[in-house]
Every structure is written in C-alpha cells, then in structure tokens.
Amino acid sequence: MEFFPIHNGLITKKEGILMETQQHFRPTKAIVDLQAIQQNIKNLKALLQPSVQVIAVVKANAYGHGDIAVAKAALEAGATMLAVATPDEALHIRAHFEEPDILILGASPVSFASYAAQQRITLTVFSSDWVQQAATMVAGEENPLQLHIKVDSGMGRIGIRTESELLELYHTIHSTDNVELDGIFTHFATADEEDTAYFDSQVALFEKLIAILPDKPRLVHASNTATALVKDNRLQYDAVRYGISMYGLAPSSYVEGILPFPLKPAFSLESELVHVKQLKAGDSVGYGATFIAQTDMWIGTIPVGYADGVIRKLAGQEVLIDGQRMPIVGRICMDQCMVALPKAYAIGKEVTLIGRQGQEEISIDEWATKLETINYEVPCIITARVPRIYI
Ligand SMILES: Cc1ncc(COP(=O)(O)O)c(C=O)c1O
C-alpha cells in the first residue's frame, strides 16, 4: 500500500481517497472514547422533551477531540444538527457529512454566503446590511441561504439587542430573495453560576424579543450545557446546544456539584518512557538546569512537550506511571519532558498525562486548576501534532 506522511503520522489512499491510517511512530497520543461521548449524549437527551433537538457543538475540532469522529458519534447518538464557529470548520464537516444541518455560531464574511448556500450551511446573522450584501452573492444559487438571527441578550459579543434592530433584520430577511430565516438564538453568560439574577435578565430580554416576531422560525434555541443541565426546562425551546457535557466535563464546579447524572470524560493523553537514567546528587535536568537532584535518583524522559500543548506552566504537574503519581521536573522542552521516578522503569513503560491508571486519575480539571484556566481550554491546547486515536 502507498503511504503519505503527514505531520502526525501516515495517511494512505483507499479507492482514490486519502485516509488516515491511525498509524503513528511516536507513542504520544490523545485517546478519545467515542462511547463515552455517546453515553453522555444519551443521558443529556433523556433530560429533554421528546420534540427538542440536540445540536452537537463540534467547533474547535470538537473541543480538541476531533471533529469528524465526534460528529459521527454524536449523530449516531441522536444529535440532529452540528454547530461550529467558523466557515472553514463548517466546510470540513460538510466534506464528511452530506445530510445534517450545520450551523456556524460565529460571524461569517459576506464572501462566504454563496459557499454556504451551495453547501447547505446555516449562518448566524445580526445585521441587515450583511443580509443585503449577501443577497447579491446568493441570488443565482439553487438552495436558499439559511439564517439564524443571533440575539445579544447580555453576552456583549455578537447579536442584535433591541426590538427595532430585530424587526428591521426580520423584515430584511423576509423581503430578500433566496434567503430564509430558519432560527433565532441567544447565549447565556452566567448559566453555570448559582446566582441567577443576570441569567434571568438575559432570559427576559430574549423572551421579550422573540415575542415580537411576526412569526416564529423553525428553531428557537438558547441552552448550552449549563442551561440545559441545571436551569429551567422551558428554556429548551426547540433545540439545545450541547458542548462541554458531551465531552464528559462539567461547565463549572457549581454545575459539577448538582449534575443530574455523572458525566464520562472522553479525553486521555498517553505517552511512554523513551529513556530512563540515574542521576547523581547534584546533577541537573532540563534547560536552565533548574532542577537539581538532591540525592541519587531515577529520571524518565517522556516524548511530549510544549509543542504538543504540554505547556511550560505544567512543570511540576504529576503524571501516572504504574498507577502512581510522579512529578514532571525541570523545564518542559518543546518535544520532551522529564519525570522523577521512584525506581528504574523499563523503556516503553506507559505514562498517562491525562486519564486513569488503576485507582489514580489525572483529570482535565486538575490540569485546568494548575493552568489557572477552565477545563474547556485544556483539550483545545493539545496541538494537532498529537494524533487523536478513537476507541
Ligand atoms: C453560542 C454557543 N452555544 C453553545 C456553546 C456550547 O456551550 P457548552 O460547551 O458550555 O455546552 C458555546 C460554547 O462556547 C457557544 O459559544
């Protein structure tokens, strides 16, 4: 068989189509458990009224998990629409899936409008000028351009804010050939917090605005994970947008504490020891020689570094070897890092950077705490050099 190298492994040609082989020559890999994703979706779906659709949020390469594999798993588990952030993400998904509706949640340039109509990609709009400019691009297209109006009920990001803006946009869409209003939506800024005052004010504005629409489009949607899991059921409207919960993570510690069912994390990061050596007391490790052995000790080298997303701020973070926690010592290099071992392990010994070994687990949330960020960011920063392996 003929193989072509890519940056993180090999691809081959099968019946003229380039296919990933899932063959990689470096032991560092992200393992993505698609069954966990499907189980999470099934549990999430069980919370919804039967008529409510699931929009699987697979933007940012499915939060770093791999957009195509996750989209396939999500559709099989009952999602009916896929949501992404950018035109390129939408085209990538459409190249693999002919049927499902795809919504771009972010702003798209007018120059993308004709591609969107041809590829049946639904766009988010919040400006009448944009619609008028796009109209000239889609005039001759076979399929009308599908649009969802974005309401900025308090995120302060994109979206219309007032009744007059909404009515102007609504009438522009309705009086323009070859564009159709398919939906209207908003996004909450504080759905994952216990205090509901700001959340309630966003709900009130959204409800006031949708109430003035002369007729309701097919899909009204507002819920992200936190809203759907812990807020009012009536906010399910016609569809919910599930992101972080699909991947088995809670949107905040508040939501984690009151989850209606346990979420199953889908992402692990694995590697193995490629070198094991004994240091003498006084020997140092890594750039800057910042770690100095206090006694004779064993050091293992793992072929993963900041170019993989194991960024330098993770120095000191523990990894799992033999079901036990061991710290990364010294500065993390671009492609490698070193770990203090209690004894001489064999080359090839499995190292878990994120995930479970026996009774011990290093969670994405543990990394997020170490990195002073949120769990959403962690799988996103694991770079494309790390192959995603699906189980
Ligand atoms: C507009 C919009 N909807 C839904 C989501 C999914 O949110 P979550 O991952 O919290 O479920 C996001 C994520 O950022 C978003 O930006």
Side-chain angles (χ1 to χ4, degrees):
M1 203 179 305
E2 203 181 355
F3 290 106
F4 305 87
I6 52 171
H7 59 279
N8 65 2
L10 288 182
I11 52 175
T12 187
K13 228 182 211 172
K14 207 168 161 193
E15 290 160 16
I17 299 167
L18 290 174
M19 311 274 290
E20 270 194 47
T21 61
Q22 297 258 298
Q23 183 169 4
H24 309 277
F25 297 103
R26 188 174 172 230
T28 299
K29 42 197 175 309
I31 312 290
V32 178
D33 181 350
L34 296 173
Q35 272 178 6
I37 291 176
Q38 292 194 319
Q39 192 55 53
N40 292 327
I41 294 174
K42 284 179 186 156
N43 289 339
L44 291 160
K45 219 169 138 35
L47 297 177
L48 304 179
Q49 305 298 319
S51 63
V52 175
Q53 300 197 32
V54 172
I55 303 176
V57 182
V58 294
K59 63 188 174 133
N61 197 25
Y63 293 34
H65 291 61
D67 57 354
I68 302 307
V70 170
K72 183 167 178 289
L75 292 166
E76 283 169 10
T80 50
M81 191 174 201
L82 303 167
V84 295
T86 69
D88 301 306
E89 290 177 351
L91 290 174
H92 188 236
I93 300 269
R94 179 57 83 221
H96 290 78
F97 302 97
E98 255 181 57
E99 290 295 322
D101 289 336
I102 302 173
L103 170 65
I104 300 181
L105 297 167
S108 295
V110 170
S111 58
F112 184 64
S114 55
Y115 294 89
Q118 281 160 26
Q119 299 289 322
R120 289 169 294 102
I121 291 167
T122 305
L123 302 186
T124 291
V125 278
F126 42 92
S127 142
S128 298
D129 279 356
W130 189 100
V131 174
Q132 278 156 357
Q133 289 174 43
T136 58
M137 314 279 299
V138 299
E141 294 299 340
E142 196 182 325
N143 310 311
L145 176 64
Q146 300 294 331
L147 301 174
H148 284 207
I149 292 178
K150 180 71 187 283
V151 173
D152 176 12
S153 57
M155 259 299 273
R157 206 160 61 172
I158 53 172
I160 55 97
R161 305 190 78 145
T162 63
E163 292 184 13
S164 59
E165 279 178 298
L166 175 59
L167 287 177
E168 189 198 337
L169 182 52
Y170 175 89
H171 289 301
T172 305
I173 294 171
H174 277 265
S175 59
T176 302
D177 285 344
N178 226 20
V179 301
E180 277 179 9
L181 184 63
D182 180 57
I184 182 164
F185 72 109
T186 196
H187 190 53
F188 297 115
T190 60
D192 60 353
E193 293 173 15
E194 188 166 8
D195 187 293
T196 62
Y198 194 77
F199 178 83
D200 293 342
S201 73
Q202 284 200 255
V203 173
L205 178 56
F206 185 58
E207 301 240 288
K208 187 173 98 178
L209 289 177
I210 52 176
I212 63 155
L213 282 177
D215 58 329
K216 196 177 80 63
R218 184 179 69 100
L219 291 177
V220 176
H221 51 110
S223 292
N224 57 355
T225 288
T227 313
L229 283 183
V230 300
K231 296 284 192 279
D232 193 330
N233 270 356
R234 281 169 304 168
L235 299 172
Q236 292 175 1
Y237 299 106
D238 303 308
V240 296
R241 305 185 303 269
Y242 283 133
I244 199 75
S245 48
M246 253 189 358
Y247 306 103
L249 303 171
S252 67
S253 52
Y254 163 64
V255 174
E256 173 120 60
I258 51 170
L259 283 175
F261 57 86
L263 291 167
K264 195 160 190 278
F267 188 95
S268 334
L269 184 61
E270 308 272 350
S271 190
E272 62 187 42
L273 295 176
V274 292
H275 195 189
V276 173
K277 65 172 79 65
Q278 195 169 32
L279 297 189
K280 297 265 171 274
D283 287 349
S284 71
V285 170
Y287 285 117
T290 55
F291 177 82
I292 297 168
Q294 299 303 306
T295 56
D296 292 0
M297 65 178 291
W298 291 97
I299 285 285
T301 302
I302 316 170
V304 65
Y306 61 77
D308 301 299
V310 181
I311 61 174
R312 284 166 48 120
K313 202 170 175 186
L314 285 160
Q317 170 61 40
E318 290 170 325
V319 302
L320 299 178
I321 299 173
D322 222 10
Q324 294 171 60
R325 288 173 168 265
M326 302 175 196
I328 295 174
V329 296
R331 289 185 186 154
I332 293 172
C333 310
M334 187 183 284
D335 321 296
Q336 306 176 63
C337 62
M338 282 64 81
V339 58
L341 306 174
K343 62 178 192 187
Y345 284 111
I347 304 300
K349 183 79 183 163
E350 190 180 283
V351 179
T352 298
L353 292 105
I354 294 174
R356 180 176 281 283
Q357 275 191 13
Q359 295 305 306
E360 278 289 354
E361 182 176 12
I362 294 177
S363 65
I364 284 187
D365 286 297
E366 179 176 331
W367 271 41
T369 304
K370 170 87 179 159
L371 293 171
E372 297 174 277
T373 184
I374 52 172
N375 53 16
Y376 291 69
E377 201 174 342
V378 171
C380 290
I381 64 167
I382 303 303
T383 61
R385 191 170 78 171
V386 179
R388 271 61 175 172
I389 308 292
Y390 302 102
I391 55 164

